[in-house]
Amino acid sequence: MSNPLSKFFVAAGAKRLSAVETDPETSNQHEFNGVLGFKEIFGTERITFDTKFLYLPDNEEGELLESGHLTWYDARENHATRTEFRLYYSPNNPIKLAQEGDLVIIAKSTEGYLLVIVCPKGSTHESQLLWLFGLEESEKRFLIKDYSAEKSDLGFAGKLIVSSLGLEIEEEEPNYLEDMLNRFGEKLPSTFLFSEYARTTLKEKISPTEAPDDTLIAWMTWEEKLFRTFEKYVVQAKLKEGFGSDGLDVDDFISFSLRVQNKRKSRAGYAFENHLAEIFDQSSISYSRGVKTERNNKPDFLFPGVREYFDPMFPNTQLTMLGLKTTAKDRWRQVIPEADRISPKHLITLEPAISRNQTDEMRVQAVKLVIPKSIAPTYSAEQQKELMCLEDFVGLVKKRQ
């Protein structure tokens, strides 16, 4: 099932926020400036849109979502010759958090509502959304792009970004549901077994040793489809059963929903680790997985192993560590204290378009970023010069061993 950008969005525009749009001491107008370009999207009649306001800093705890409205209207609609289109927003906290110079993106969804996204200047979300929407930033007016002609699939990186906006990517493999139920029953197996099942059922021709980057993404993509298929079956069964003794228990519903969301996140991380381990195994690489180093830190992978790491006679230059984060954001710093003997430390992530601010800090902190080949193009040309792909990392470790 193809998932082009046009499946989710009709059009979008981006600009930098000015003081008059963000500072309550300067103005309390609740309007965006430089909006004339939206005339081609919204038309000329007054219209009020249901709107989701999102504030997306790089720390996940600071993310904020609120519902409200945007009203598009001509302030001079009764004038015979003049027009002055305005875009008024209802008061909301995401806009209150915005600072002058932050990026704002206004996107019209295919379902008819608007999405207003505020990203702090220089953030990873800013970098990702400019790449996803193919937008140029402007200081004074919204630059608009129409997506009706977009037919190509978003790809792995694009789907990750779209999912971060709270949109559901429909990818399932219903033909495998009966086989999974026969193998595993009505309950998902361990992540190790499920990752193994995903690898053995993938019909795509891949080579973990000759093309580890493509193999990793293919395994991750396929396992996600199988998981969503199984998850849908489990969730639908629970919805039919109801929640609590009367079937309408709100607290039970919320608890179940949170479990589903948390399982998605944790399973993705374990799948990432499982598939990397298989690639290392097939490449005949020695490693220890999840062992303790100093201060009870636990790097995800330690090469060639924990015994060599704690052998004072083993040279530091032959040691390598790899941390992994499905999404990095500000959590990449967690790898810094994980193995005192090793520098630089390597970090592999599936996060597209990490901001230049973050990659610059990684370089200063001696963290080398490993990005699968298909995700690397989401980074700037300058950033790509400093990235390492998985194939290069495997080659480095094999050379050291």
Side-chain angles (χ1 to χ4, degrees), residues 74 81 95 109 142 189 245 253 263 299 382 387:
D74 182 0
T81 58
I95 297 296
S109 77
F142 283 94
S245 57
F253 167 76
K263 182 172 288 188
E382 286 301 309
L387 301 180

Side-chain angles (χ1 to χ4, degrees), residues 3 5 12 14 103 105 119 123-137 145 147 150 152-165 350-355 373-381 383-384:
N3 284 285
L5 194 58
L103 183 77
I105 293 176
C119 306
S123 65
T124 290
H125 276 296
E126 174 189 277
S127 177
Q128 290 177 340
L129 292 174
L130 285 173
W131 176 82
L132 175 72
F133 288 111
L135 295 171
E136 297 179 14
E137 55 184 273
K145 190 168 184 179
Y147 302 111
E150 294 284 344
S152 58
D153 189 77
L154 285 167
F156 189 87
K159 290 170 188 174
L160 280 179
I161 300 172
V162 166
S163 295
S164 74
L165 299 176
L350 303 174
E351 184 91 70
I354 295 176
S355 70
K373 288 180 180 179
S374 63
I375 300 176
T378 66
Y379 290 75
S380 71
Q383 286 176 304
Q384 290 182 47

Side-chain angles (χ1 to χ4, degrees), residues 288 290-303 305-310 319-321 334-342 345:
S288 294
V291 293
K292 292 181 179 180
T293 55
E294 301 84 2
R295 301 173 298 280
N296 286 326
N297 282 301
K298 294 174 67 175
D300 294 298
F301 290 96
L302 199 58
F303 307 88
V306 67
R307 181 174 61 84
E308 290 83 0
Y309 183 81
F310 284 109
L319 295 170
T320 313
M321 71 145 282
Q334 295 170 358
V335 307
I336 295 174
E338 288 184 346
D340 291 350
R341 290 186 63 186
I342 300 174
K345 296 175 172 65

Side-chain angles (χ1 to χ4, degrees), residues 14 64 70 109 220 240 245 253 260 291 343 363 373 382:
L64 188 61
L70 273 178
S109 77
M220 290 293 295
K240 290 177 182 178
S245 57
F253 167 76
V260 169
V291 293
S343 182
R363 184 178 63 254
K373 288 180 180 179
E382 286 301 309

Side-chain angles (χ1 to χ4, degrees), residues 13-161:
K15 73 181 287 288
R16 295 284 170 192
L17 288 168
S18 63
V20 74
E21 294 168 296
T22 60
D23 187 353
E25 300 298 325
T26 304
S27 172
N28 207 16
Q29 64 180 357
H30 295 298
E31 288 184 350
F32 292 114
N33 297 329
V35 299
L36 185 59
F38 282 112
K39 182 179 176 181
E40 299 299 320
I41 308 301
F42 299 156
T44 58
E45 301 298 318
R46 174 185 285 259
I47 184 171
T48 296
F49 295 96
D50 289 335
T51 304
K52 295 180 181 180
F53 294 90
L54 265 172
Y55 181 71
L56 294 178
D58 280 346
N59 61 308
E60 294 178 1
E61 296 78 10
E63 294 182 4
L64 188 61
L65 168 65
E66 287 188 8
S67 296
H69 298 89
L70 273 178
T71 299
W72 170 258
Y73 67 103
D74 182 0
R76 297 182 181 273
E77 58 187 344
N78 295 322
H79 196 283
T81 58
R82 294 185 61 188
T83 59
E84 186 181 332
F85 285 96
R86 295 182 178 180
L87 194 54
Y88 173 89
Y89 58 83
S90 57
N92 64 88
N93 287 307
I95 297 296
K96 285 182 180 179
L97 291 172
Q99 302 290 317
E100 180 181 2
D102 286 353
L103 183 77
V104 62
I105 293 176
I106 300 178
K108 184 179 181 182
S109 77
T110 52
E111 295 182 5
Y113 68 84
L114 299 186
L115 194 59
V116 176
I117 312 163
V118 177
C119 306
K121 186 174 183 178
S123 65
T124 290
H125 276 296
E126 174 189 277
S127 177
Q128 290 177 340
L129 292 174
L130 285 173
W131 176 82
L132 175 72
F133 288 111
L135 295 171
E136 297 179 14
E137 55 184 273
S138 166
E139 295 292 336
K140 296 183 178 180
R141 61 188 177 89
F142 283 94
L143 299 181
I144 316 298
K145 190 168 184 179
D146 186 290
Y147 302 111
S148 58
E150 294 284 344
K151 302 301 179 186
S152 58
D153 189 77
L154 285 167
F156 189 87
K159 290 170 188 174
L160 280 179
I161 300 172

Side-chain angles (χ1 to χ4, degrees), residues 264-325:
R264 282 185 178 184
K265 292 178 182 179
S266 63
R267 183 210 54 80
Y270 284 121
F272 192 18
E273 188 173 344
N274 292 334
H275 296 318
L276 280 171
E278 180 67 16
I279 288 172
F280 297 149
D281 288 341
Q282 295 204 29
S283 300
S284 301
I285 291 175
S286 299
Y287 62 87
S288 294
R289 182 176 172 183
V291 293
K292 292 181 179 180
T293 55
E294 301 84 2
R295 301 173 298 280
N296 286 326
N297 282 301
K298 294 174 67 175
D300 294 298
F301 290 96
L302 199 58
F303 307 88
V306 67
R307 181 174 61 84
E308 290 83 0
Y309 183 81
F310 284 109
D311 180 357
M313 301 302 293
F314 194 85
N316 290 357
T317 54
Q318 299 302 305
L319 295 170
T320 313
M321 71 145 282
L322 180 68
L324 64 90
K325 304 287 182 188

